Structures are given as C-alpha cells and as structure tokens.
Amino acid sequence: EKIFSGFSKTRDNLAAIDELLLFWNLADTDRVLDELEEALLVSDFGPNITIKIVEALRKDILGGKLKSGTEIKDALKAFVLNLLTSKQIKTELQLGFRKPAVIMIVGVNGGGKTTSLGKLAYRLKNEGVKILMAAGDTFRAAAGDQLEIWAERTGSEIVFGEGEKIKASSVLSQAVKRGKEEGFDVVLCDTSGRLHTNYSLMEELIACKKAVHKVVRGAPNEILLVLDGTTGLNMLPQAREFNEVVGITGLILTKLDGSARGGCVVSVVDELGIPVKFVGVGEGVEDLQPFDAEAFVNAIFS
Ligand code: GDP
C-alpha cells in the first residue's frame, strides 16, 4: 500500500498509456508504441530497456499474440516483472549466523543514508533485533547528532568512537567489538558520503570493510548503497563506481515518493545486477519498505 502511494508520480507519467491502450486497434500500433516509448523514457527506464520492451511488444502484437489493449498492458507488466525477478536475487537482508551481523550503509551525502539507517533500525527493532549503531560518518558534523536521535527513537545504543581525530574504520571496529562482547544482534554502520570522485572516500570505505572483518569473520554481511531516487538514471555511474571499489550487496533507493523517474529501479537492477532491498517512499519512520517487484509493477502501471 505504501509502495503504491510512494510511486504516484511515476504512475502519473505512465498513465497516458492506459487511455491509449483502452482504444488500441491494430492500425494504431505504431502510434501507441511510440507514445509508450516516450512515457518509458520520461520515467527513466533508460534507452536499453525501453527498446527491449517496445520491440518485444511490437513482435507479439504483429505476430497476433496480443489482441487487445488489456493483453498488451498485461504483457508490458509481465515483461518488467520478469526483468526484475530474473536479476533480483536475495532481496532480503542476508545476516548470516555469526553475531553480531554487520550492515554498512554507504552512499554520497544527501542521498538519505542516515535517514535510511534510522528507518532500517526501526524495522529491525520491531522484529526484536538488538541494535548497536556506529557513527562512522566522521566527516559530516551533524550526522552524529542525527544518528543519536534515531538511536533514541529506536532504543538502540550508539558508538561514537574514542580517541582524537577518530577514523571511521576505528569507530566501526570499536562498535563491532562492543557488539560482539555485549551480545548485540546487528551493528548498523553509518559511513561518510563525501563526493565519490574523491578517491580517499573509497579508500576509507575499504579500510572500514577490512576493520570490521578483522573483528567478526564474514562481516560486513551487507554493504547497502543508498541512492537518491530523484536523480533517476544519473545514479548509475555512481552505483557502478561504489560497486566496483567496495562491492555492494544491495541497494536502498530513496525519495521515490518525490520522483517521477521510478523506472530507474528497473534500469539499475538490469544494468548492475544488484538487488534493490529497500525503497524509501516518504519521510516517516515506516517509509522504508522492503522492495517487492510485483507490488512495484502494480504501483507504476496500475
Ligand atoms: P545523508 O546525507 O545521505 O545521510 O542524507 P539524510 O539521511 O540526511 O537525508 C537527506 C534528506 O532526504 C533528509 O531531509 C531526509 O528526510 C530526506 N529523505 C531521505 N529519504 C527519503 C525518502 O525516502 N523520501 C523523502 N521524501 N525524503 C527522504
């Protein structure tokens, strides 16, 4: 339900197709498919996927497999769903069996990293998970305060790290050590998000990864990349770089409620082969939803 309302802007972009399909007849095919192509591009499905979809539909229409607007619409939805489910492996968090499980949240500033971490803590807490937060965004001064509010809200503990000029990797290492000693289930690690073009950020993230791995084998269990959904396809190069350097296990796409470019979800999954694990569909604590491909398809092509 939340997913449905969260994608209303993208749905509006695609709504024009509905009317066209309602009055579709064979002679209209080229015009209808042109309009569909336009609507998919405007919604940031990206040129590759858009062409794949439109040409597959054209083939089935001309081959007589699709005989009505409703059948075309159903085929369109099935095609997108298939794109997502064939690439979307393990959309659920994989937390392993050693305690504590370690989740690193990474991404550039302003994308919604700290907020998503807080919302994720809220979800996990409701499942009875005991959470320790690590204030690893040592670059942005306000991040620690923001995290503290989320810790209070979710009854979580938080580690800021000790020592002068603390390094993010040291904060994470201290947090995971404490998590292990005190029996926490999950350590949720915030990290810095200066621009990805600054190479030292990538070095820092690698150091963070190594530091937690030293404390708990198999950690980090998840490295979730937070991407701003309002940037649409522009998120792709950034996602690629993070993935190449750090190795991303899942994506959190935020601010989709404010974005008409929700088709980028399909493009990102298709191009990167990394599962979308959560979507941010609002500013409330409950507005981080596990990604459900079927609900998504029904939300954008309702
Ligand atoms: P960070 O710099 O990556 O840690 O970003 P923040 O977590 O501080 O988020 C930046 C802004 O985006 C804040 O105002 C958040 O409330 C807002 N935000 C984050 N996720 C969402 C979302 O899913 N929907 C909307 N509408 N706003 C969001």
PDB file of all heavy atoms in Angstrom, residues 210-225:
ATOM      1  N   LYS A 210      37.602  -3.756   5.928  1.00  0.00           N
ATOM      2  CA  LYS A 210      38.660  -4.596   6.497  1.00  0.00           C
ATOM      3  C   LYS A 210      38.597  -4.601   8.014  1.00  0.00           C
ATOM      4  O   LYS A 210      38.785  -5.638   8.658  1.00  0.00           O
ATOM      5  CB  LYS A 210      40.039  -4.090   6.053  1.00  0.00           C
ATOM      6  CG  LYS A 210      40.372  -4.461   4.627  1.00  0.00           C
ATOM      7  CD  LYS A 210      41.810  -4.056   4.295  1.00  0.00           C
ATOM      8  CE  LYS A 210      42.142  -4.365   2.842  1.00  0.00           C
ATOM      9  NZ  LYS A 210      43.183  -3.459   2.311  1.00  0.00           N
ATOM     10  N   ALA A 211      38.348  -3.420   8.593  1.00  0.00           N
ATOM     11  CA  ALA A 211      38.355  -3.294  10.056  1.00  0.00           C
ATOM     12  C   ALA A 211      37.277  -4.161  10.698  1.00  0.00           C
ATOM     13  O   ALA A 211      37.517  -4.818  11.717  1.00  0.00           O
ATOM     14  CB  ALA A 211      38.181  -1.824  10.454  1.00  0.00           C
ATOM     15  N   VAL A 212      36.077  -4.174  10.118  1.00  0.00           N
ATOM     16  CA  VAL A 212      35.018  -4.985  10.737  1.00  0.00           C
ATOM     17  C   VAL A 212      35.257  -6.467  10.485  1.00  0.00           C
ATOM     18  O   VAL A 212      34.960  -7.316  11.327  1.00  0.00           O
ATOM     19  CB  VAL A 212      33.593  -4.568  10.293  1.00  0.00           C
ATOM     20  CG1 VAL A 212      33.324  -3.124  10.618  1.00  0.00           C
ATOM     21  CG2 VAL A 212      33.352  -4.825   8.823  1.00  0.00           C
ATOM     22  N   HIS A 213      35.855  -6.761   9.358  1.00  0.00           N
ATOM     23  CA  HIS A 213      36.138  -8.159   9.029  1.00  0.00           C
ATOM     24  C   HIS A 213      37.148  -8.776  10.010  1.00  0.00           C
ATOM     25  O   HIS A 213      37.085  -9.959  10.327  1.00  0.00           O
ATOM     26  CB  HIS A 213      36.665  -8.257   7.600  1.00  0.00           C
ATOM     27  CG  HIS A 213      36.863  -9.657   7.133  1.00  0.00           C
ATOM     28  ND1 HIS A 213      35.805 -10.444   6.736  1.00  0.00           N
ATOM     29  CD2 HIS A 213      37.967 -10.423   7.034  1.00  0.00           C
ATOM     30  CE1 HIS A 213      36.267 -11.640   6.419  1.00  0.00           C
ATOM     31  NE2 HIS A 213      37.579 -11.659   6.575  1.00  0.00           N
ATOM     32  N   LYS A 214      38.054  -7.913  10.485  1.00  0.00           N
ATOM     33  CA  LYS A 214      39.050  -8.373  11.458  1.00  0.00           C
ATOM     34  C   LYS A 214      38.406  -8.813  12.761  1.00  0.00           C
ATOM     35  O   LYS A 214      38.916  -9.675  13.467  1.00  0.00           O
ATOM     36  CB  LYS A 214      40.023  -7.224  11.783  1.00  0.00           C
ATOM     37  CG  LYS A 214      41.327  -7.299  11.043  1.00  0.00           C
ATOM     38  CD  LYS A 214      42.299  -6.305  11.643  1.00  0.00           C
ATOM     39  CE  LYS A 214      43.626  -6.343  10.919  1.00  0.00           C
ATOM     40  NZ  LYS A 214      44.438  -5.162  11.280  1.00  0.00           N
ATOM     41  N   VAL A 215      37.282  -8.191  13.103  1.00  0.00           N
ATOM     42  CA  VAL A 215      36.631  -8.488  14.380  1.00  0.00           C
ATOM     43  C   VAL A 215      35.662  -9.666  14.263  1.00  0.00           C
ATOM     44  O   VAL A 215      35.611 -10.527  15.127  1.00  0.00           O
ATOM     45  CB  VAL A 215      35.872  -7.245  14.918  1.00  0.00           C
ATOM     46  CG1 VAL A 215      35.336  -7.508  16.316  1.00  0.00           C
ATOM     47  CG2 VAL A 215      36.781  -6.018  14.907  1.00  0.00           C
ATOM     48  N   VAL A 216      34.897  -9.685  13.193  1.00  0.00           N
ATOM     49  CA  VAL A 216      33.942 -10.786  13.002  1.00  0.00           C
ATOM     50  C   VAL A 216      34.119 -11.355  11.596  1.00  0.00           C
ATOM     51  O   VAL A 216      33.977 -10.637  10.609  1.00  0.00           O
ATOM     52  CB  VAL A 216      32.472 -10.303  13.160  1.00  0.00           C
ATOM     53  CG1 VAL A 216      31.510 -11.470  12.949  1.00  0.00           C
ATOM     54  CG2 VAL A 216      32.245  -9.679  14.520  1.00  0.00           C
ATOM     55  N   ARG A 217      34.416 -12.637  11.538  1.00  0.00           N
ATOM     56  CA  ARG A 217      34.566 -13.272  10.233  1.00  0.00           C
ATOM     57  C   ARG A 217      33.239 -13.221   9.492  1.00  0.00           C
ATOM     58  O   ARG A 217      32.174 -13.369  10.091  1.00  0.00           O
ATOM     59  CB  ARG A 217      34.999 -14.730  10.407  1.00  0.00           C
ATOM     60  CG  ARG A 217      36.479 -14.917  10.107  1.00  0.00           C
ATOM     61  CD  ARG A 217      36.764 -16.331   9.686  1.00  0.00           C
ATOM     62  NE  ARG A 217      36.394 -17.258  10.767  1.00  0.00           N
ATOM     63  CZ  ARG A 217      36.120 -18.543  10.562  1.00  0.00           C
ATOM     64  NH1 ARG A 217      36.147 -19.042   9.349  1.00  0.00           N
ATOM     65  NH2 ARG A 217      35.819 -19.322  11.585  1.00  0.00           N
ATOM     66  N   GLY A 218      33.288 -13.019   8.181  1.00  0.00           N
ATOM     67  CA  GLY A 218      32.051 -12.953   7.402  1.00  0.00           C
ATOM     68  C   GLY A 218      31.460 -11.556   7.361  1.00  0.00           C
ATOM     69  O   GLY A 218      30.550 -11.283   6.594  1.00  0.00           O
ATOM     70  N   ALA A 219      31.981 -10.650   8.217  1.00  0.00           N
ATOM     71  CA  ALA A 219      31.462  -9.289   8.240  1.00  0.00           C
ATOM     72  C   ALA A 219      32.260  -8.425   7.250  1.00  0.00           C
ATOM     73  O   ALA A 219      33.438  -8.697   7.025  1.00  0.00           O
ATOM     74  CB  ALA A 219      31.572  -8.710   9.642  1.00  0.00           C
ATOM     75  N   PRO A 220      31.689  -7.378   6.690  1.00  0.00           N
ATOM     76  CA  PRO A 220      30.284  -6.986   6.791  1.00  0.00           C
ATOM     77  C   PRO A 220      29.355  -7.936   6.015  1.00  0.00           C
ATOM     78  O   PRO A 220      29.700  -8.363   4.921  1.00  0.00           O
ATOM     79  CB  PRO A 220      30.258  -5.584   6.158  1.00  0.00           C
ATOM     80  CG  PRO A 220      31.420  -5.565   5.219  1.00  0.00           C
ATOM     81  CD  PRO A 220      32.460  -6.457   5.832  1.00  0.00           C
ATOM     82  N   ASN A 221      28.229  -8.243   6.608  1.00  0.00           N
ATOM     83  CA  ASN A 221      27.277  -9.144   5.956  1.00  0.00           C
ATOM     84  C   ASN A 221      26.568  -8.453   4.805  1.00  0.00           C
ATOM     85  O   ASN A 221      26.250  -9.078   3.801  1.00  0.00           O
ATOM     86  CB  ASN A 221      26.248  -9.643   6.964  1.00  0.00           C
ATOM     87  CG  ASN A 221      26.905 -10.305   8.143  1.00  0.00           C
ATOM     88  OD1 ASN A 221      27.483  -9.637   8.986  1.00  0.00           O
ATOM     89  ND2 ASN A 221      26.865 -11.630   8.178  1.00  0.00           N
ATOM     90  N   GLU A 222      26.315  -7.173   5.007  1.00  0.00           N
ATOM     91  CA  GLU A 222      25.669  -6.404   3.940  1.00  0.00           C
ATOM     92  C   GLU A 222      26.377  -5.056   3.796  1.00  0.00           C
ATOM     93  O   GLU A 222      26.741  -4.443   4.808  1.00  0.00           O
ATOM     94  CB  GLU A 222      24.193  -6.117   4.282  1.00  0.00           C
ATOM     95  CG  GLU A 222      23.285  -7.342   4.287  1.00  0.00           C
ATOM     96  CD  GLU A 222      22.711  -7.670   2.898  1.00  0.00           C
ATOM     97  OE1 GLU A 222      23.157  -7.055   1.902  1.00  0.00           O
ATOM     98  OE2 GLU A 222      21.831  -8.541   2.832  1.00  0.00           O
ATOM     99  N   ILE A 223      26.577  -4.648   2.562  1.00  0.00           N
ATOM    100  CA  ILE A 223      27.004  -3.270   2.287  1.00  0.00           C
ATOM    101  C   ILE A 223      25.921  -2.680   1.386  1.00  0.00           C
ATOM    102  O   ILE A 223      25.797  -3.058   0.212  1.00  0.00           O
ATOM    103  CB  ILE A 223      28.380  -3.210   1.594  1.00  0.00           C
ATOM    104  CG1 ILE A 223      29.434  -3.905   2.469  1.00  0.00           C
ATOM    105  CG2 ILE A 223      28.786  -1.754   1.342  1.00  0.00           C
ATOM    106  CD1 ILE A 223      30.841  -3.914   1.874  1.00  0.00           C
ATOM    107  N   LEU A 224      25.096  -1.839   1.992  1.00  0.00           N
ATOM    108  CA  LEU A 224      23.946  -1.311   1.263  1.00  0.00           C
ATOM    109  C   LEU A 224      24.255   0.087   0.747  1.00  0.00           C
ATOM    110  O   LEU A 224      24.642   0.973   1.516  1.00  0.00           O
ATOM    111  CB  LEU A 224      22.716  -1.281   2.187  1.00  0.00           C
ATOM    112  CG  LEU A 224      22.309  -2.626   2.814  1.00  0.00           C
ATOM    113  CD1 LEU A 224      21.111  -2.433   3.747  1.00  0.00           C
ATOM    114  CD2 LEU A 224      21.972  -3.655   1.726  1.00  0.00           C
ATOM    115  N   LEU A 225      24.098   0.261  -0.531  1.00  0.00           N
ATOM    116  CA  LEU A 225      24.336   1.568  -1.153  1.00  0.00           C
ATOM    117  C   LEU A 225      23.020   2.338  -1.241  1.00  0.00           C
ATOM    118  O   LEU A 225      22.041   1.847  -1.805  1.00  0.00           O
ATOM    119  CB  LEU A 225      24.933   1.385  -2.550  1.00  0.00           C
ATOM    120  CG  LEU A 225      25.109   2.649  -3.396  1.00  0.00           C
ATOM    121  CD1 LEU A 225      26.065   3.639  -2.740  1.00  0.00           C
ATOM    122  CD2 LEU A 225      25.605   2.292  -4.800  1.00  0.00           C
TER     123      LEU A 225
END
